[in-house]
Amino acid sequence: MSESAEVKMVPALCTQCGGTLTVDPHKETADCPFCGSSFIVEKAINQYQVQHATFEHVDNVNIDMSGTVNSVLDFVGKQMSEGRKLKREMRKEEKEYAAENQKRFFMNFLKIGLPMLVILFIMAMVMNAFFGNDSQESAAVAGTGDEAGTVSYEVSRGLLYLDIPDPGGYIWEYDMFHSRDVNLKDDSNLDGVHFTISASHSLGTAYAVLHWQDEDDADWDGYFVYQVEVEDGMITEVTDVSSVDDIESYL
């Protein structure tokens, strides 16, 4: 048998045009019969084997995916950890920012707000002293001398205040029956006798009546009649005070 007959040709692919051909694996180079290009035999054989590769023995092929899975898990875990760290840092920055704003607000309040409140309070006190307390004060003596007590009155903020700080041995009451267009808003017997009278109509002249008597006497000894002016449902002034023994004769 000749030497050429013993040579086993193997399939290959031209590295230039990709044509399928057979080559002598013992040669270093060969010429492609299709494109005429010279190519390296080993590369042409390898290219053919790669293109026509088959897994005839899959059981001998071991694909180790554990490294890839672990890498993916490590990457995901790292990203989650960095995300949590970023959130913690953001929350910390938000708290610091809120605390700084609160501190700044408090400082601005001390510098601006508090002085403004003091100024407004002083202005309110001054305005109240000149305009807000449109009051009228006076006193009238009941009975002979001051034996039945001295009644002082004041008109303030739409109300009539009647005070008998020392009633002595006399009983004082608000005479609802003879009073006209006013109501007893409040009365007190602590440290004397005090009556607070409010208007019951919106406009015009009204009358508030007090009567008194000796503790040992069943009859009323006398009456105080307060004539007042009412505007917009508020008592504005006392125009007359009368002390009478008989209220019917006065009326």
Side-chain angles (χ1 to χ4, degrees), residues 9 19 64 207:
M9 304 296 284
D64 186 7
Y207 298 88

Side-chain angles (χ1 to χ4, degrees), residues 7-82:
V7 176
K8 184 179 180 180
M9 304 296 284
V10 296
L13 292 178
C14 176
T15 58
Q16 299 298 321
C17 68
T20 303
L21 44 85
T22 58
V23 297
D24 182 354
H26 298 95
K27 292 184 177 181
E28 293 183 1
T29 61
D31 296 328
C32 178
F34 303 106
C35 64
S37 301
S38 296
F39 57 86
I40 298 175
V41 173
E42 184 179 359
K43 288 185 177 181
I45 295 173
N46 291 337
Q47 188 167 330
Y48 179 87
Q49 290 176 349
V50 169
Q51 183 171 333
H52 296 81
T54 58
F55 292 97
E56 297 178 355
H57 304 285
V58 179
D59 55 337
N60 293 326
V61 179
N62 295 322
I63 301 176
D64 186 7
M65 295 295 292
S66 60
T68 303
V69 173
N70 290 335
S71 298
V72 172
L73 293 177
D74 290 343
F75 175 78
V76 174
K78 183 177 180 181
Q79 293 299 316
M80 293 177 65
S81 177
E82 291 179 355

Side-chain angles (χ1 to χ4, degrees), residues 110-154:
L110 291 179
K111 293 178 180 179
I112 302 175
L114 189 59
M116 288 296 296
L117 289 177
V118 173
I119 293 173
L120 290 175
F121 177 76
I122 294 174
M123 290 178 62
M125 294 295 293
V126 172
M127 293 180 66
N128 183 67
F130 284 96
F131 307 105
N133 188 20
D134 187 14
S135 62
Q136 179 184 9
E137 298 181 11
S138 189
V141 178
T144 304
D146 60 352
E147 60 182 8
T150 300
V151 182
S152 63
Y153 67 84
E154 177 184 2

Side-chain angles (χ1 to χ4, degrees), residues 203-234:
L203 186 66
T205 302
Y207 298 88
V209 180
L210 299 183
H211 51 218
W212 76 88
Q213 66 180 24
D214 189 283
E215 292 180 349
D216 300 326
D217 191 355
D219 298 326
W220 297 114
D221 294 337
Y223 301 83
F224 265 160
V225 182
Y226 294 84
Q227 180 178 312
V228 299
E229 292 301 317
V230 179
E231 294 180 7
D232 297 328
M234 303 180 68

Side-chain angles (χ1 to χ4, degrees), residues 175 177-180 207-212 220-226 242-251:
D175 192 336
F177 182 78
H178 292 111
S179 296
R180 295 289 183 272
Y207 298 88
V209 180
L210 299 183
H211 51 218
W212 76 88
W220 297 114
D221 294 337
Y223 301 83
F224 265 160
V225 182
Y226 294 84
S242 301
S243 176
V244 295
D245 296 331
D246 184 1
I247 191 65
E248 297 297 333
S249 62
Y250 175 80
L251 295 177

